[in-house]
Amino acid sequence: MLLHDERVQLVQYCRRMQADKLTVGTSGNISVRSGDHIAITPSGAAYEDLTPESICVIDLDGTPVEDGLEPSSEVPMHTSVYRHTSAQAVVHTHPLYASTLSAVVDELPPVHYMVALLGGPVRVAPYATYGSSELAENSVRAMEGRFGVILQNHGATTYGDSLAKAYTRSVYLEWVCQMYYQARLLGEPNLLQLDEIAKVAEKLGSYGQSVPGRS
């Protein structure tokens, strides 16, 4: 089986995505790159029924490399992110607050310093039909200089150099979206300066416990 470990990882994170309410029903999709191959979730499959065998493997052009289920309808967006960034994993979600804000704002502003995890204020990409090359192009254009994007009237996408990092960014993106939504109910939120976001980004680079022999 090609990319066995990556397939197992995708199944685990799909279950987490559902539990963390980052998606609803069978919406959303996740992928991991390994060399010239990409492991990606199948189209329209219930997350609770996923097994490593049901995960699809495609090449960098989006062509399936072995028989199996139909890969996600968002293959064009995933492959575009891999072509235009250093991504090793991509997480596409339909969370409530990011999706709600996508219908009313052009950008998630720096309302909390954790937007530094996304590279700064998160842009909203113009709407395009799901699964289309236009959506893929809009996504990577709005993602320039960022690790995530909100998709107008749709959802959100994040990436990282590991699935854990891409997923964490999705979690924080939704959390900041919820914070901004709730702050707007009370009034006009105070926003942080971009130089403060840059300072936080630098601090986050060394955040966490140091482990001997590990950078």
Side-chain angles (χ1 to χ4, degrees), residues 69-192:
L69 298 177
E70 186 73 18
S72 168
S73 59
E74 295 294 2
V75 162
M77 180 165 59
H78 285 256
T79 54
S80 289
V81 174
Y82 289 120
R83 281 197 302 271
H84 290 89
T85 72
S86 60
Q88 291 298 308
V90 176
V91 177
H92 171 56
T93 59
H94 290 188
L96 178 60
Y97 289 94
S99 299
T100 298
L101 291 182
S102 79
V104 294
V105 303
D106 295 324
E107 182 180 80
L108 174 66
V111 67
H112 191 279
Y113 64 80
M114 289 308 284
V115 298
L117 277 179
L118 285 306
V122 181
R123 307 179 191 100
V124 177
Y127 178 81
T129 305
Y130 80 91
S132 66
S133 57
E134 183 183 2
L135 176 61
E137 293 166 5
N138 291 350
S139 299
V140 295
R141 190 177 300 117
M143 202 183 282
E144 184 177 358
R146 300 290 185 269
F147 295 104
V149 64
I150 298 172
L151 310 175
Q152 189 178 66
N153 299 91
H154 185 154
T157 300
T158 60
Y159 76 88
D161 58 13
S162 68
L163 183 51
K165 193 169 290 186
Y167 188 83
T168 295
R169 285 175 173 145
S170 284
V171 171
Y172 274 105
L173 174 56
E174 174 65 357
W175 184 83
V176 177
C177 284
Q178 181 175 359
M179 177 192 169
Y180 183 59
Y181 172 89
Q182 292 178 326
R184 285 291 298 269
L185 294 178
L186 299 175
E188 190 62 34
N190 296 318
L191 300 180
L192 300 174

Side-chain angles (χ1 to χ4, degrees), residues 7 13 21 26 28 61 91 105 121-122 150 180 207:
R7 294 178 190 232
Y13 273 88
K21 298 181 179 180
T26 62
D61 293 324
V91 177
V105 303
V122 181
I150 298 172
Y180 183 59
Y207 177 75

